[in-house]
Amino acid sequence: MAENSLSTLNINSTIKLNDSVEIPCIGFGTYLNTGDKALHTVTWAIQAGYRLIDTAALYKNEAEIGRAIKKFGIPRDQLFIITKLWDSDHGRKAATQAFMNSLHKLDLGYIDMYLIHSPNCGKIVDTWRALIELKAKGLVRSIGVSNFGVHHLKALQSSFPNDLPSVNQLEITPYLTRSDLVSYCRHQGIGIMAYSPLTQGHMLKDPPLTELALKYNKSTAQLLIRWSIQSGFIVIPKSSKQERIKENINLFDFEISADDMLKLNALDRHAVFDWDPTEEPWTS
Ligand SMILES: NC(=O)C1=CN([C@@H]2O[C@H](COP(=O)(O)OP(=O)(O)OC[C@H]3O[C@@H](n4cnc5c(N)ncnc54)[C@H](OP(=O)(O)O)[C@@H]3O)[C@@H](O)[C@H]2O)C=CC1
Ligand SMILES: O=C1CO[C@H](CO)[C@@H](O)[C@@H]1O
């Protein structure tokens, strides 16, 4: 996937995936936003203009997210809902059942994208077959993976050469650019979705970042999210606070220069702040 054309980027920009599904370039992450917090934050996110919501069975907030969306009353086809299959639910039957549970909890008619949360389970081939069937039945529009390394993708491709994942959701930031994996995904036409784009807060006061943010009169959080979008990634920042939720999508009025993109890329130090299953062995 090519880098985004800057002049055309706006809050409604989408990326066309290898299955022709159009996905918003920015979405709202929801890990740790549970119960009432999930209800309020998703409402604030939709009000602020987010149209993609990222959840997972693991996050235990699917029902609240579905309720918030229905209460808001936005037409279903204006939203893009992602949820994920957890590691304990692999295999054809278990994966199908887990999907149906998520579908039931969200209660939004269909799911836009279903991801295998990680390759840590050992039954990927059977699981992927189940996802292909769910897509064929029209219950999910797009299927993909998360935390897959190049060896996992190659193994999956050898069994399913005509059914590649539409995306690979990965932890990616200027501090963790994963250039080999990103380049492999690009060559295969697999979209890249950047999670933990704010380094989970850890690097937001890093001097090179604060210096650049000052130059653009933006926060370091905005600079990191904009870096992701300009890199051609779909990006899913999370916050539990209304002001930050607004701040994190208010980034279509500036553009990071090519030189500054290089400076940001040079911050790479393979800094992982979440987990990293991309390194795990493939077991099918
Ligand atoms: N597939 C996978 O394995 C994974 C997927 N994800 C997905 O990606 C999403 C985002 O990643 P996540 O790990 O949550 O981390 P993020 O990098 O999005 O960072 C979230 C942290 O940054 C803080 N924060 C948010 N906005 C600002 C701001 N403007 N200024 C200062 N601090 C800010 C938040 O605090 P506060 O809430 O107090 O604002 C929170 O502590 C997840 O919620 C989840 O949906 C994440 C990890 C793994
Ligand atoms: O999606 C996720 C999967 O699990 C991780 C921890 O084990 C979480 O941090 C994360 O948000």
Side-chain angles (χ1 to χ4, degrees):
M1 194 172 306
E3 293 203 349
N4 264 319
S5 154
L6 309 186
S7 52
T8 59
L9 279 173
N10 62 62
I11 198 170
N12 298 314
S13 288
T14 58
I15 289 177
K16 192 171 188 171
L17 300 172
N18 60 16
D19 52 11
S20 296
V21 167
E22 299 257 355
I23 184 168
C25 69
I26 183 166
F28 184 59
T30 66
Y31 184 53
L32 299 180
N33 285 346
T34 53
D36 280 351
K37 213 194 264 184
L39 278 167
H40 295 138
T41 54
V42 166
T43 306
W44 294 332
I46 299 171
Q47 276 166 352
Y50 295 79
R51 291 296 174 263
L52 183 169
I53 312 288
D54 179 78
T55 180
L58 179 77
Y59 303 170
K60 307 227 173 305
N61 56 15
E62 292 169 307
E64 290 80 3
I65 289 174
R67 242 185 292 140
I69 290 169
K70 282 182 285 181
K71 190 162 173 214
F72 195 94
I74 185 167
R76 173 68 183 88
D77 63 2
Q78 287 182 25
L79 281 185
F80 196 102
I81 310 297
I82 303 179
T83 191
K84 314 186 196 83
L85 173 81
W86 186 237
D87 294 356
S88 52
D89 292 321
H90 280 265
R92 202 162 174 178
K93 201 167 158 205
T96 305
Q97 188 55 55
F99 174 89
M100 295 313 288
N101 289 345
S102 287
L103 185 69
H104 178 72
K105 283 186 185 160
L106 282 159
D107 192 22
L108 296 169
Y110 61 92
I111 287 168
D112 292 279
M113 179 177 278
Y114 197 49
L115 303 180
I116 296 183
H117 208 135
S118 94
N120 283 349
C121 63
K123 293 182 198 155
I124 304 280
V125 168
D126 283 350
T127 300
W128 191 245
R129 195 165 284 126
L131 266 58
I132 292 171
E133 287 166 3
L134 291 164
K135 189 178 159 199
K137 285 184 187 153
L139 297 171
V140 56
R141 297 172 60 220
S142 189
I143 52 176
V145 297
S146 178
N147 298 300
F148 272 42
V150 171
H151 60 299
H152 302 121
L153 292 170
K154 282 186 175 166
L156 190 63
Q157 283 171 272
S158 71
S159 298
F160 301 97
N162 300 319
D163 289 292
L164 294 190
S166 58
V167 304
N168 191 8
Q169 187 184 102
L170 298 162
E171 182 177 351
I172 303 187
T173 65
Y175 301 91
L176 176 67
T177 60
R178 298 190 188 275
S179 49
D180 291 347
L181 180 50
V182 163
S183 153
Y184 183 80
C185 290
R186 284 200 167 123
H187 276 106
Q188 301 302 316
I190 298 169
I192 299 152
M193 194 178 307
Y195 75 67
S196 304
L198 304 175
T199 64
Q200 298 189 337
H202 291 283
M203 303 304 288
L204 293 180
K205 295 199 167 124
D206 189 32
L209 205 59
T210 51
E211 209 175 287
L212 266 187
L214 208 59
K215 171 176 166 184
Y216 289 99
N217 200 20
K218 286 283 165 181
S219 70
T220 51
Q222 289 169 318
L223 194 67
L224 286 175
I225 300 166
R226 181 77 199 189
W227 170 87
S228 249
I229 294 177
Q230 284 189 214
S231 300
F233 308 141
I234 302 138
V235 63
I236 48 169
K238 171 259 174 184
S239 176
S240 54
K241 301 182 173 64
Q242 188 168 17
E243 282 317 305
R244 288 179 174 176
I245 289 171
K246 284 198 244 173
E247 173 188 328
N248 294 347
I249 199 168
N250 174 19
L251 24 85
F252 294 98
D253 57 353
F254 81 113
E255 186 173 309
I256 305 171
S257 71
D259 276 358
D260 289 336
M261 285 296 285
L262 290 177
K263 279 189 197 153
L264 287 166
N265 286 328
L267 295 174
D268 190 16
R269 58 188 76 160
H270 203 80
V272 174
F273 295 103
D274 207 83
W275 60 338
D276 193 7
T278 63
E279 308 281 348
E280 296 298 321
W282 165 268
T283 48
S284 81

